[in-house]
C-alpha cells in the first residue's frame, strides 16, 4: 500500500503541474478526479473496495493516468527549456 500512497500524493500535486503548463482545463478535470481517487482509497482501505468499473474506480484510474501524463509533460518541458537555455547561453558566449 505504500507505493500506492506515494503515487496518490504525486497525483495530488498534478493540478499544480497543469497550471504551470498553462492547461487549466486539465487542472480542473484532475481536481475532480482527485476527489474520486481519495474516496476510492478511503473506501478500499477502511471498508470493502468498490466494484470494478464503478464511478470511484474509474475516477481513481483516470486520475492516475492524468497524473502520469502531467508528469511526462512537465519533464519534457523542463528538458526542452533547459536545452533552449543552454543553447542560448552558448550562442551568446561565442
Amino acid at each position: 500500500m505504500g507505493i500506492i500512497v506515494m503515487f496518490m500524493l504525486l497525483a495530488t500535486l498534478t493540478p499544480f503541474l497543469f497550471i504551470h503548463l498553462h492547461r487549466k482545463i486539465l487542472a480542473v478535470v484532475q481536481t475532480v478526479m482527485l476527489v474520486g481517487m481519495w474516496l476510492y482509497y478511503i473506501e478500499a482501505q477502511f471498508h470493502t473496495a468498490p466494484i470494478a468499473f464503478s464511478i470511484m474506480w474509474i475516477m481513481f484510474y483516470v486520475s492516475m493516468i492524468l497524473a502520469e501524463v502531467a508528469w511526462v509533460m512537465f519533464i519534457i518541458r523542463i528538458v526542452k527549456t533547459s536545452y533552449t537555455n543552454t543553447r542560448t547561453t552558448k550562442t551568446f558566449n561565442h
Side-chain angles (χ1 to χ4, degrees), residues 43-59:
E43 185 74 23
Q45 189 71 21
F46 298 111
H47 299 294
T48 314
I51 61 171
F53 302 105
S54 66
I55 299 281
M56 285 193 293
W57 185 88
I58 291 170
M59 290 176 83

Side-chain angles (χ1 to χ4, degrees), residues 4 8 10 12 15-16 21 23 32 34-35 37 40-41 45 47-48 58 61 69 73 75 79-80 85 88 90:
I4 292 173
M8 289 176 63
L10 287 173
T12 303
F16 300 109
L21 295 169
R23 308 278 186 190
V32 172
L34 284 174
V35 173
M37 179 187 75
Y40 178 85
Y41 176 76
Q45 189 71 21
H47 299 294
T48 314
I58 291 170
Y61 286 104
V69 168
M73 287 171 60
I75 291 169
V79 170
K80 188 190 300 186
N85 289 343
T88 305
K90 286 182 181 180

Side-chain angles (χ1 to χ4, degrees), residues 1-17:
M1 276 298 184
I3 193 80
I4 292 173
V5 173
M6 182 184 74
F7 282 123
M8 289 176 63
L9 291 174
L10 287 173
T12 303
L13 297 175
T14 303
F16 300 109
L17 291 178

Side-chain angles (χ1 to χ4, degrees), residues 25-36:
I25 293 172
L26 287 174
V28 171
V29 169
Q30 177 66 5
T31 304
V32 172
M33 293 297 130
L34 284 174
V35 173

